[in-house]
Amino acid sequence: LTGEYPRATDTFIQREVTTLREMGVEVHTFSVRCPGDEHMVGVEQKQERDRTFYILPPNLINLLRSHLTLLLASPKRYLQTIKLAWSTSQPGFWGLVYQLFYFIEAGILAQQIKQSEIVHLHNHIAEASGSVAMLAAEMGGFSYSFTLHGPYIFLRAYQWQLEEKIKRSLFVSCISNYARSQGMIFAPLEKWNQMHIIHCGIDPALFDVVSHNMHGKRLLFVGRLAVAKGLPILLESLAILKKAHPDILLTVVGDGPDREKLKQITTQWELTENVNYVGYKSQTEVREYFQQTDIFVMSSFAEGIPVVLMEAMAAGVPVVATQIAGVSELVENNVNGYLVPPADVISLVNCIKKLLTDYKLRAEFGTAGRAKVEKDFNIHYEVARLHRLM
């Protein structure tokens, strides 16, 4: 279960589902909402959308039937779920309204899961869909677990009742040591040994390794177009780099709420000839962009461990990333990439400049990055561990 599946930005969940199925596991996918056509960037997204059960918009008859069936099957459990929903609602009037929606959605989901004779529910993204998962498990009498990504839930852990979700879960899959440690702040001590590190991963075999043998000029960013991704900092850095490297080119793959604002900043810095916004792309197309890249740049202020960094490193592309959250568990500074303080324009400029002018260093970082991903972020190993836990 997740809130909106499959999105173009959540390929790590799709890969996890696909790999579990390849292992022979029967996986049913559920989503609160259906994503728009803009997320159908490849065949894999369309296939997943066709086989996913969507809770919203609800059929009124199905909604009433689901809740009535659950109530009659176990009045005690149904009333316990009402009590749980009340006790874990967010403050204020609107908190109660949203919790009512989560309760309604949980009933539809719980009945669908029971009809399908599913015994365990796993949730990705612990905020709203995590609340639906917790209530559905209580109402339906099955176990649930969730993947703890962060970082945003740690800013509002009390609002989203992270402690209660951890307490009631069968286990928690944490994408990094950083995520696990932050979750442990809110988890009871007796639950710590049920919080496990399961990285998001990729299949390194899908990525051809880039060769580096000349001065570089091509930068790549892949992600959601939001100012929290630090793109204004990257654009400012690009304006400085342009003075010594007038032919520098940044390709921006992705879309998001701040696209037009970022385009305006691009114009203000006189970078329209140096920045190419190409929108959402399929997984295959993103791999092709790595083959045309000298350096991958991530300037974000808030991340877990970005899968796109793993992809760049698997392709042998050196990375420059901000030292936040669990990123340093993947990128080792001056070994397989550079880590810079977030929002530090000068550090970002200096690191990019070193890599542009030193192809041997790019190749060295690229080789080390590929080895790191193969060892610690291989999806086949990570999903096998998740399967053993389940």
Side-chain angles (χ1 to χ4, degrees):
L1 171 74
T2 189
E4 195 172 353
Y5 180 85
R7 296 189 301 181
T9 52
D10 293 340
T11 53
F12 53 91
I13 302 176
Q14 296 159 45
R15 289 195 192 105
E16 185 176 277
V17 169
T18 300
T19 307
L20 279 168
R21 286 176 178 150
E22 289 171 351
M23 293 173 62
V25 181
E26 184 179 4
V27 182
H28 298 253
T29 51
F30 303 89
S31 176
V32 177
R33 296 172 304 280
C34 183
D37 289 339
E38 69 275 11
H39 288 279
M40 301 299 106
V41 294
V43 175
E44 56 273 12
Q45 279 82 20
K46 295 173 184 174
Q47 290 175 341
E48 283 301 290
R49 186 170 68 172
D50 290 343
R51 68 193 300 175
T52 297
F53 176 86
Y54 293 101
I55 300 172
L56 299 180
N59 177 291
L60 183 59
I61 295 175
N62 182 48
L63 187 160
L64 294 172
R65 184 188 296 120
S66 295
H67 277 267
L68 184 60
T69 302
L70 291 163
L71 173 61
L72 294 175
S74 179
K76 181 180 178 181
R77 185 172 288 282
Y78 192 87
L79 293 174
Q80 285 175 338
T81 308
I82 293 176
K83 182 180 178 181
L84 176 62
W86 175 267
S87 65
T88 57
S89 67
Q90 298 179 31
F93 171 76
W94 287 110
L96 285 173
V97 170
Y98 278 111
Q99 195 74 342
L100 175 61
F101 290 147
Y102 301 152
F103 179 82
I104 291 170
E105 293 162 7
I108 297 171
L109 176 63
Q111 181 59 20
Q112 184 68 25
I113 286 175
K114 286 174 70 68
Q115 284 180 345
S116 302
E117 299 182 343
I118 294 168
V119 297
H120 182 76
L121 172 66
H122 188 75
N123 168 246
H124 267 280
I125 317 298
E127 283 90 336
S129 66
S131 297
V132 175
M134 178 178 67
L135 295 174
E138 179 69 18
M139 202 180 304
F142 45 83
S143 61
Y144 88 99
S145 55
F146 66 93
T147 295
L148 183 59
H149 292 267
Y152 293 108
I153 193 169
F154 303 133
L155 305 177
R156 297 189 292 174
Y158 295 107
Q159 175 184 341
W160 287 112
Q161 297 288 331
L162 181 58
E163 179 181 356
E164 192 67 27
K165 288 172 180 174
I166 294 173
K167 281 169 60 177
R168 291 176 173 272
S169 65
L170 188 63
F171 67 89
V172 180
S173 169
C174 306
I175 67 163
S176 65
N177 286 288
Y178 174 83
R180 183 172 185 262
S181 70
Q182 298 308 291
M184 289 164 74
I185 293 172
F186 305 98
L189 177 61
E190 60 271 17
K191 293 292 291 190
W192 284 9
N193 64 356
Q194 293 167 27
M195 301 175 69
H196 305 271
I197 307 296
I198 306 290
H199 295 131
C200 296
I202 64 168
D203 184 355
L206 295 176
F207 295 83
D208 295 326
V209 177
V210 174
S211 60
H212 302 277
N213 50 24
M214 63 182 69
H215 273 37
K217 66 176 183 179
R218 304 166 300 176
L219 310 182
L220 179 65
F221 170 93
V222 181
R224 189 166 55 91
L225 301 194
V227 293
K229 295 293 184 180
L231 276 164
I233 300 297
L234 178 54
L235 292 172
E236 185 178 351
S237 303
L238 201 67
I240 297 172
L241 287 161
K242 183 181 175 181
K243 296 173 184 177
H245 303 272
D247 58 347
I248 195 169
L249 177 63
L250 169 65
T251 300
V252 179
V253 177
D255 211 334
D258 295 327
R259 181 185 178 113
E260 293 308 314
K261 185 182 297 183
L262 291 167
K263 283 190 169 183
Q264 290 173 10
I265 296 172
T266 301
T267 303
Q268 290 168 8
W269 285 111
E270 299 181 350
L271 293 170
T272 51
E273 298 298 318
N274 303 90
V275 182
N276 188 18
Y277 293 92
V278 299
Y280 285 134
K281 296 296 177 182
S282 69
Q283 295 179 42
T284 301
E285 290 171 318
V286 170
R287 288 196 292 270
E288 291 172 355
Y289 275 106
F290 285 128
Q291 297 302 307
Q292 306 160 26
T293 299
D294 298 310
I295 306 167
F296 184 86
V297 187
M298 189 208 78
S299 49
S300 183
F301 304 150
E303 295 286 347
I305 300 185
V307 172
V308 71
L309 276 179
M310 303 173 199
E311 294 175 336
M313 293 166 71
V317 176
V319 301
V320 180
T322 43
Q323 189 167 9
I324 54 173
V327 172
S328 61
E329 297 173 39
L330 170 65
V331 182
E332 300 170 71
N333 190 45
N334 212 26
V335 174
N336 57 26
Y338 282 129
L339 292 172
V340 298
D344 187 337
V345 172
I346 300 304
S347 293
L348 189 59
V349 167
N350 289 339
C351 289
I352 293 173
K353 190 184 297 182
K354 288 178 187 176
L355 288 169
L356 286 175
T357 56
D358 191 340
Y359 71 86
K360 291 183 179 179
L361 183 61
R362 294 204 306 274
E364 180 183 323
F365 281 4
T367 300
R370 171 83 181 199
K372 177 69 173 180
V373 171
E374 288 179 334
K375 177 176 178 287
D376 294 331
F377 295 88
N378 187 312
I379 192 163
H380 298 290
Y381 303 154
E382 300 305 313
V383 170
R385 295 177 63 217
L386 177 62
H387 182 223
R388 286 196 297 273
L389 274 177
M390 289 183 174

